[in-house]
């Protein structure tokens, strides 16, 4: 029992990180129907931004987080402007191929600029453990930070999407671009904001991973990026709560499999879940089985 | 006054509008009638900035609209109720109306216009928190009109507002159009329902395969032999 609860806590921490990345996939997909394969690399960029802010500029956690979010938001908007916007009227497959190209560019650019070595993320929080329920569950400071930051981000996102003008514009554009234009919504700007927000959330995931697992390197985005993408599809791509659910589910399952079974299967599990869910519910756990709007 | 001069619009190689010209005087209801595929929606979409003309001019009180962004055209006071309503089905009635007022910041004015829309369409008031997608067809059309009014347009472009509605609702919608107009909003109405359009409008044009083939007083067109044969048969 104790071990199970402990695995759950670890799983939720890992799942929070997947969820934060998955949100960016799902938001961008929701608004321009693009699987932004470069998104995992934005997360890598965020981890490095946090790394340098903390280790080279000796900033504390929150300023580093904010700087990393800002850098990734700008990077996301830049990628949208340079790589995707010119293809707006091109067939969808061209954008998808471009996304893979951008991803390779960022990975290889990262290898060149940051060097291929794995760097140790500085220790930001004291190594301390808190016991709960009479020692049944132990939370490290890192666990608490990861879970708190994710909850704060979800509340902010919820507020942004449902209570602000820009959120309303995002929902309108993702539902019907022409109708949104007729209301005076600037579709292009709204898409840029969506990239910015999704990328900033990936930056948060990057910094948290640095803190949680203590290391960053240029190809760190590939596997979590893929799993977050799976999480987004699992929850129902384009659906914000779906990304969170999918991320947590994959994080928890993966940790349980590694803890009880064989850690060799840990990466395969995400794919297995995806295949099963898609067979049973093709539009994802929270997706409605409706015809796609055209 | 809205003035369209020699407008040419293409979809790729398809020449959808072949040099149409017409005028809409302030305070009037003007209609363009035509069959399926004649180019009615294309005309309105081009005025709203969703399509770019290859040639020609669109002038609102002398200001060129043909190169403006859609959002700036709304700012100029030109708003559209699109064909098929295109309401945001995943949002509440209230949120749809708020989107109509997207470019406005005058809180008090917006509040007044909410009241105005709700008094024009009491059914929407009862359903303000309901998801727009769950409204009936007639209610959705009312919402689409209400949403456009929320931008406080000088001129409202309506694309087949009677489409798919029962006769009693068609009558109701046309009464609303007259009411909106009597409160000072200019209306450019595009319709296949030629009888309703011609009895409601002051001026009228007939569009056929991308050309305006006839124009004049709506009354005169209503009595015109050719029009009767083609559109009122
Ligand atoms: N997106 C498009 N791509 C290519 N051709 C188009 C497109 N939209 C419209 N057309 C063509 O342009 C012409 C005018 O279409 P438009 O939609 O303006 O007609 P309409 O008068 O509004 O018809 P309806 O009464 O059926 O709504 C038609 O021949 C149509 O096939
Ligand atoms: Mg049409």
């Amino acid at each position: 029992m104790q071990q199970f609860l402990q695995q759950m806590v670890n799983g939720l921490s890992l799942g929070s990180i997947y969820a934060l990345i998955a949100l960016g996939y799902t938001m961008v997909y929701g608004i321009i129907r693009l699987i932004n394969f470069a998104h995992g690399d934005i997360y890598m960029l965020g981890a490095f931004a946090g790394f340098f802010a903390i280790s080279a500029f000796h900033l504390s956690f929150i300023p580093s987080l904010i700087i990393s979010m800002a850098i990734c938001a700008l990077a996301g908007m830049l990628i949208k402007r340079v790589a995707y916007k010119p293809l707006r009227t091109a067939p969808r497959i061209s954008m998808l191929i471009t996304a893979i190209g951008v991803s390779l560019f960022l990975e290889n650019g990262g290898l060149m600029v940051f060097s291929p070595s794995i760097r140790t993320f500085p220790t930001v929080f004291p190594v301390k453990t808190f016991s709960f329920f009479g020692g049944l569950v132990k939370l490290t400071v890192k666990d608490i930070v990861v879970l708190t930051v994710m909850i704060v981000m979800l509340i902010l996102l919820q507020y942004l999407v449902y209570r602000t003008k820009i959120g309303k514009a995002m929902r309108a554009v993702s539902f019907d671009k022409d109708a949104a234009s007729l209301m005076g919504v600037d579709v292009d700007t709204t898409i840029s904001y969506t990239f910015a927000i999704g990328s900033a959330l990936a930056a948060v995931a990057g910094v948290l991973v640095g803190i949680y697992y203590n290391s960053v390197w240029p190809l760190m985005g590939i596997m979590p990026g893929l799993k977050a993408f799976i999480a987004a599809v699992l929850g129902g791509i384009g659906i914000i709560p779906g990304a969170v659910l999918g991320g947590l589910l994959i994080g928890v399952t993966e940790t349980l499999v590694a803890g009880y079974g064989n850690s060799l299967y840990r990466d395969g599990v995400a794919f297995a879940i995806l295949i099963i869910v898609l067979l049973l519910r093709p539009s994802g756990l929270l997706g409605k089985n409706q015809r796609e709007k055209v | 006054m809205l003035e369209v001069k020699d407008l040419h619009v293409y979809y790729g190689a398809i020449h959808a509008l072949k040099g149409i010209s017409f005028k809409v005087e302030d305070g009037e209801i003007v209609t363009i009638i035509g069959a399926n595929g004649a180019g009615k929606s294309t005309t309105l979409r081009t005025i709203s900035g969703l399509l770019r003309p290859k040639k020609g001019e669109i002038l609102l009180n002398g200001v060129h609209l043909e190169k403006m962004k859609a959002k700036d055209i709304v700012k100029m006071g030109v708003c559209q109720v699109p064909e098929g309503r295109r309401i945001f089905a995943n949002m509440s009635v209230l949120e749809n109306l708020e989107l109509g007022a997207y470019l406005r910041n005058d809180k008090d004015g917006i509040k007044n216009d909410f009241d105005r829309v709700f008094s024009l369409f009491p059914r929407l008031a009862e359903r303000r928190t309901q998801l727009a997608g769950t409204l009936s067809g007639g209610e959705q059309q009312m919402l689409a009109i209400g949403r456009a009014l929320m931008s406080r347009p000088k001129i409202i472009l309506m694309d087949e507002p009677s489409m798919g509605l029962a006769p009693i609702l068609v009558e109701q919608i046309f009464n609303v159009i007259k009411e909106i107009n009597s409160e000072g909003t200019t209306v450019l109405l595009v319709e296949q329902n030629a009888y309703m359009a011609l009895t409601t409008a002051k001026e009228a044009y007939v569009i056929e395969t991308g050309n305006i083939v006839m124009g004049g007083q709506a009354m005169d067109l209503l009595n015109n032999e050719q029009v009767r044969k083609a559109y009122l048969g």
Side-chain angles (χ1 to χ4, degrees):
Chain A
M1 183 63 186
Q2 185 180 351
Q3 198 200 344
F4 175 77
L5 288 176
Q6 202 54 52
Q7 300 286 3
M8 285 299 285
V9 170
N10 298 343
L12 287 176
S13 295
L14 178 63
S16 299
I17 286 162
Y18 291 152
L20 287 169
I21 311 175
L23 283 166
Y25 274 113
T26 232
M27 288 170 72
V28 165
Y29 183 85
I31 208 154
I32 56 170
R33 305 288 181 269
L34 166 74
I35 307 293
N36 181 16
F37 279 114
H39 191 61
D41 304 299
I42 295 278
Y43 148 87
M44 173 273 291
L45 202 64
F48 269 96
F51 170 80
F52 286 116
I54 291 170
S55 66
F57 295 95
H58 306 293
L59 296 174
S60 59
F61 173 64
I62 291 184
S64 304
L65 188 67
I66 291 171
I67 286 175
S68 167
M69 288 171 79
I71 288 176
C72 286
L74 288 176
M77 288 196 287
L78 187 72
I79 290 170
K80 175 249 165 193
R81 177 75 189 74
V82 174
Y84 303 141
K85 195 182 165 196
L87 297 172
R88 213 172 16 183
T89 53
R92 248 201 254 173
I93 187 78
S94 336
M95 238 198 246
L96 206 63
I97 294 167
T98 306
I100 295 170
V102 174
S103 169
L104 290 173
F105 173 80
L106 289 176
E107 283 159 18
N108 290 293
L111 287 172
M112 258 173 64
V113 176
F114 303 136
S115 91
S117 58
I118 296 182
R119 299 182 195 227
T120 309
F121 210 88
T123 309
V124 183
F125 292 100
V127 186
K128 207 174 153 194
T129 309
F130 298 94
S131 289
F132 292 90
F133 308 116
L136 215 52
V137 189
K138 292 198 180 67
L139 288 183
T140 63
V141 178
K142 288 175 179 179
D143 286 317
I144 295 171
V145 169
V146 168
L147 294 172
T148 313
V149 170
M150 154 144 120
I151 290 167
V152 169
M153 288 299 151
L154 289 185
I155 292 170
L156 284 178
L157 184 67
Q158 181 79 12
Y159 178 80
L160 193 85
V161 171
Y162 289 99
R163 293 276 175 272
T164 65
K165 221 165 176 176
I166 179 74
K168 208 176 291 157
M170 282 164 52
R171 285 185 293 142
V173 170
S174 75
F175 191 80
D176 186 337
K177 286 187 184 46
D178 279 353
S181 287
L182 291 177
M183 302 299 107
V185 173
D186 191 323
V187 171
D188 194 48
T189 310
T190 306
I191 294 173
S192 290
Y193 283 137
T194 308
F195 270 87
I197 295 163
S199 304
L201 291 172
V204 173
V207 175
L208 290 179
V209 148
I211 286 170
Y212 203 76
Y213 296 107
N214 303 322
S215 63
V216 293
W217 74 299
L219 301 186
M220 67 184 276
I222 299 177
M223 208 54 190
L226 199 55
K227 286 186 193 154
F229 165 60
I230 292 174
V233 175
L234 191 63
I237 190 129
I239 301 165
I240 288 180
V244 178
L245 180 68
L248 294 177
L249 209 66
I250 289 192
V252 167
T253 323
E254 205 181 296
T255 315
L256 290 179
V257 166
Y260 287 104
N262 190 329
S263 56
L264 278 179
Y265 294 133
R266 138 176 221 155
D267 285 340
V269 156
F271 299 92
I273 302 177
L274 180 73
I275 292 168
I276 294 166
V277 170
L278 288 189
L279 283 174
L280 299 176
R281 286 189 65 95
S283 50
L285 291 173
L286 300 187
K288 293 183 199 70
N289 279 315
Q290 60 190 10
R291 278 174 303 141
E292 194 178 344
K293 285 181 31 56
V294 279
Chain B
M1 182 174 69
L2 178 75
E3 207 176 350
V4 169
K5 289 185 189 164
D6 192 29
L7 202 63
H8 289 262
V9 177
Y10 290 76
Y11 293 101
I14 300 167
H15 198 174
L17 295 184
K18 302 165 185 162
I20 64 165
S21 304
F22 60 90
K23 278 182 199 173
V24 182
E25 298 284 353
D26 286 345
E28 287 190 356
I29 301 180
V30 175
T31 187
I32 303 177
I33 58 171
N36 284 119
K40 305 181 295 295
S41 298
T42 304
T43 306
L44 295 194
R45 290 168 59 79
T46 310
I47 297 173
S48 283
L50 296 179
L51 295 170
R52 289 276 169 251
K54 189 154 266 180
K55 191 171 165 239
E57 297 179 341
I58 302 164
L59 298 157
L60 182 70
N61 302 323
V63 180
H64 285 269
L65 302 186
E66 69 270 4
K67 289 198 177 70
M68 269 191 198
K69 278 187 171 185
K71 129 183 144 178
D72 296 319
I73 293 170
V74 177
K75 250 187 207 151
M76 292 285 298
V78 182
C79 196
Q80 182 176 158
V81 182
E83 182 175 274
R85 297 147 202 156
R86 306 286 283 267
I87 51 151
F88 301 104
N90 56 340
M91 297 188 203
S92 69
V93 167
L94 216 53
E95 283 181 307
N96 269 272
L97 294 176
E98 282 167 4
L99 270 160
Y102 185 76
L103 291 173
R104 293 173 62 184
N105 290 311
D106 55 323
K107 274 218 174 93
D108 294 339
I110 294 175
K111 208 190 150 292
N112 284 341
D113 284 341
F114 268 120
D115 294 343
R116 177 178 168 223
V117 168
F118 286 142
S119 71
L120 209 53
F121 303 111
R123 295 174 74 97
L124 293 183
E126 293 162 26
R127 292 164 171 74
R128 62 179 79 199
T129 57
Q130 194 172 321
L131 279 187
T134 63
L135 298 176
S136 74
E139 290 159 357
Q140 291 192 7
Q141 187 63 61
M142 293 171 194
L143 179 58
I145 295 173
R147 184 179 68 172
L149 289 176
M150 289 304 294
S151 71
R152 231 186 235 185
K154 290 198 193 82
I155 172 165
I156 188 163
L157 315 175
M158 296 204 181
D159 197 342
E160 300 199 39
S162 74
M163 191 166 72
L165 299 184
I168 176 126
L169 278 170
V170 172
E171 195 125 337
Q172 207 181 330
I173 293 288
F174 273 88
N175 283 335
V176 166
I177 294 172
K178 280 181 233 169
E179 191 169 338
I180 292 167
N181 176 250
S182 72
E183 290 170 9
T185 310
T186 309
V187 178
L188 174 58
L189 171 69
V190 146
E191 263 297 346
Q192 280 198 56
N193 187 333
Y195 179 78
M196 285 307 287
L198 291 176
T199 49
T200 307
K202 182 147 180 276
E203 302 275 331
Y205 296 88
V206 179
I207 186 169
E208 273 172 19
T209 57
N211 290 298
I212 298 248
V213 293
M214 223 184 283
Q217 298 280 312
M219 267 306 153
D220 295 342
L221 290 195
L222 197 58
N223 297 319
N224 179 294
E225 198 50 43
Q226 266 171 287
V227 173
R228 295 192 79 90
K229 242 199 223 139
Y231 298 100
L232 300 165

